[in-house]
Amino acid sequence: MAFIEIKNLLKRYGKVVAVNHIDLEVKQGEMLTLLGPSGCGKTTTLRCIAGLEKPEDGDIVIDGRSMLAEGFVQPSDRGIGMVFQNYAVWPHMKVFNNVAYGLKFQKIPKRTIRERSLQVLEMVGLGGLEDRYPGQLSGGQQQRVALARALVRNPKVLLLDEPLSNLDAKLREKMRFEIKSLVRRMGMTAVYVTHDQAEAMVISDRIVVMDSGNVVQIGTAQDIYQTPANRFVADFIGAMNFISGEVLTAAPETDSTYVKTEFNETLLCKTPAGMLLRQGDRVFASIRPEDVEIFSERPEEKSENLIKGTIAHKAYLGNFLFFFVTVNGHTIRVQVAHYIPLEEGADIYISLNPQKCMVLV
């Protein structure tokens, strides 16, 4: 069941189309992430949901109520809580007052305000710090204050705009799991904005990939990683080898295509569902580095997609290695176990798994 519906949403800034007639649904209790590079329209979409931006066309429905069709509903009346990138906590107020501030306008008894504020501070791991000022807290603690302030009013929807981008890598990783756990525990519907692909994959029930104001693909992290809709998605989510070439033969009945590559090798690739290809079409044979196998000697059992190359560079990343293998002047990146003993300059064979090698345009 859709708890938030975005219908034909259009938002312009002058002549620039920031959000281009998009349609989205967010299920009740779902953590949906808007993912994409700077300028793709993800934050603008979030601000339209929040009521901080007024779109030129379309509608937003939250829990069955239109935010636009019967007059513009103000942010304070939408039943949302929002966490901003820069925390937006008041430095002159103590933690307790930062969190309780929004409740003071709801004609709630002081005792209830205190109980609820302390309860939510405990929930986000700030119990006992209510009398400190934000300047006396770490960045992660300040972000928790912002989260507590958004949660204290029991919002229908939680909106988070790149809330972890100002934190260091270790703390960012920890906070991802804390936010995900908290949202699930409370059974909230949440929309999360980030440009960090790893963050999106960890925290999301579903991911919406955006580019230039458009929705490019919607799916689970696994869907988007394993079956990207196009080259943009494949390049933005994880590492990918893109091998330029042209279609030699296409067999729609078996979802397979032979691609003649720029380095004069023929590769057997999977064809994404619904993609129609003709001989001579320019495409990319695309494969993740972890789906490429390496051999120091030519393996007899491998026939398709076996190529000879040379290790030009080697990069050690702790739990794995990257080999940058050159084939007739072109480079293919391969991810292997950290203990593989091969060195730069070694001639090897690489096998590009035909079930993992896909055609993209």
Side-chain angles (χ1 to χ4, degrees):
M1 175 182 175
F3 194 75
I4 303 173
E5 297 175 82
I6 298 174
K7 304 175 180 179
N8 196 35
L9 191 69
L10 172 67
K11 177 60 186 174
R12 292 194 187 96
Y13 296 106
K15 294 182 179 180
V16 176
V17 177
V19 179
N20 188 22
H21 295 285
I22 68 169
D23 295 285
L24 276 179
E25 290 188 351
V26 188
K27 302 171 187 174
Q28 188 163 15
E30 179 179 39
M31 171 76 88
L32 184 85
T33 296
L34 305 180
L35 175 68
S38 297
C40 71
K42 57 189 185 296
T43 292
T44 301
T45 300
L46 193 79
R47 290 176 65 85
C48 287
I49 297 172
L52 300 176
E53 300 286 352
K54 189 173 182 180
E56 279 71 35
D57 196 9
D59 196 11
I60 295 167
V61 179
I62 299 176
D63 193 17
R65 180 190 179 194
S66 170
M67 300 293 109
L68 298 166
E70 299 175 3
F72 184 79
V73 177
Q74 295 298 320
S76 57
D77 296 326
R78 295 192 177 201
I80 60 155
M82 189 157 181
V83 182
F84 296 91
Q85 179 179 351
N86 62 353
Y87 317 149
V89 295
W90 291 290
H92 64 287
M93 289 186 183
K94 290 182 178 180
V95 167
F96 177 85
N97 290 328
N98 263 282
V99 174
Y101 185 79
L103 297 178
K104 294 177 180 178
F105 298 95
Q106 296 184 334
K107 298 181 180 180
I108 297 173
K110 287 184 179 181
R111 183 177 176 180
T112 303
I113 291 174
R114 181 166 182 81
E115 288 176 353
R116 192 184 296 180
S117 299
L118 292 178
Q119 181 184 33
V120 78
L121 282 169
E122 193 70 38
M123 191 184 303
V124 299
L126 292 177
L129 301 181
E130 60 272 12
D131 290 327
R132 293 192 185 181
Y133 287 97
Q136 297 172 308
L137 303 178
S138 69
Q141 289 171 326
Q142 289 185 51
Q143 191 58 279
R144 285 187 177 93
V145 174
L147 184 59
R149 187 179 57 195
L151 295 173
V152 75
R153 296 176 62 189
N154 295 321
K156 294 179 180 179
V157 177
L158 181 63
L159 306 177
L160 304 104
D161 185 12
E162 306 216 34
L164 308 181
S165 60
N166 290 328
L167 305 181
D168 63 70
K170 280 284 186 183
L171 185 56
R172 192 161 62 240
E173 185 175 352
K174 180 183 178 184
M175 287 293 292
R176 290 171 190 165
F177 292 103
E178 288 189 7
I179 290 174
K180 182 176 184 178
S181 174
L182 184 63
V183 169
R184 284 191 172 176
R185 213 161 59 236
M186 297 183 71
M188 299 186 71
T189 302
V191 182
Y192 192 102
V193 162
T194 183
H195 64 274
D196 186 319
Q197 51 166 300
E199 196 169 291
M201 294 178 79
V202 166
I203 211 165
S204 314
D205 294 310
R206 288 188 303 149
I207 298 171
V208 178
V209 183
M210 296 186 69
D211 180 35
S212 302
N214 298 293
V215 172
V216 183
Q217 187 171 1
I218 304 174
T220 65
Q222 186 174 0
D223 292 336
I224 289 173
Y225 188 82
Q226 294 185 352
T227 55
N230 55 28
R231 180 177 175 176
F232 171 82
V233 178
D235 196 25
F236 196 78
I237 305 288
M240 181 73 85
N241 291 296
F242 297 103
I243 303 167
S244 179
E246 63 179 44
V247 174
L248 201 59
T249 58
E253 66 279 1
T254 60
D255 294 327
S256 60
T257 302
Y258 280 98
V259 176
K260 184 73 171 179
T261 70
E262 58 189 349
F263 48 77
N264 294 321
E265 295 281 353
T266 299
L267 296 177
L268 175 61
C269 304
K270 289 184 68 177
T271 312
M275 182 180 289
L276 299 177
L277 296 170
R278 296 176 297 179
Q279 186 177 5
D281 284 349
R282 299 296 301 177
V283 295
F284 295 94
S286 310
I287 190 165
R288 302 283 184 191
E290 65 268 24
D291 293 324
V292 182
E293 292 183 88
I294 66 167
F295 303 90
S296 54
E297 302 290 338
R298 184 183 182 91
E300 296 300 325
E301 71 278 10
K302 300 285 184 180
S303 55
E304 298 282 8
N305 297 6
L306 186 66
I307 302 170
K308 187 175 182 179
T310 303
I311 300 174
H313 302 288
K314 175 180 175 180
Y316 176 76
L317 283 89
N319 58 336
F320 64 88
L321 294 170
F322 272 138
F323 287 151
F324 296 86
V325 180
T326 57
V327 179
N328 295 334
H330 299 273
T331 301
I332 296 175
R333 179 161 47 167
V334 184
Q335 181 179 317
V336 298
H338 65 90
Y339 52 78
I340 299 295
L342 295 169
E343 299 296 335
E344 293 178 359
D347 290 332
I348 60 170
Y349 288 89
I350 58 174
S351 175
L352 284 63
N353 186 340
Q355 293 302 308
K356 301 288 187 178
C357 192
M358 67 190 91
V359 175
L360 293 174
V361 294

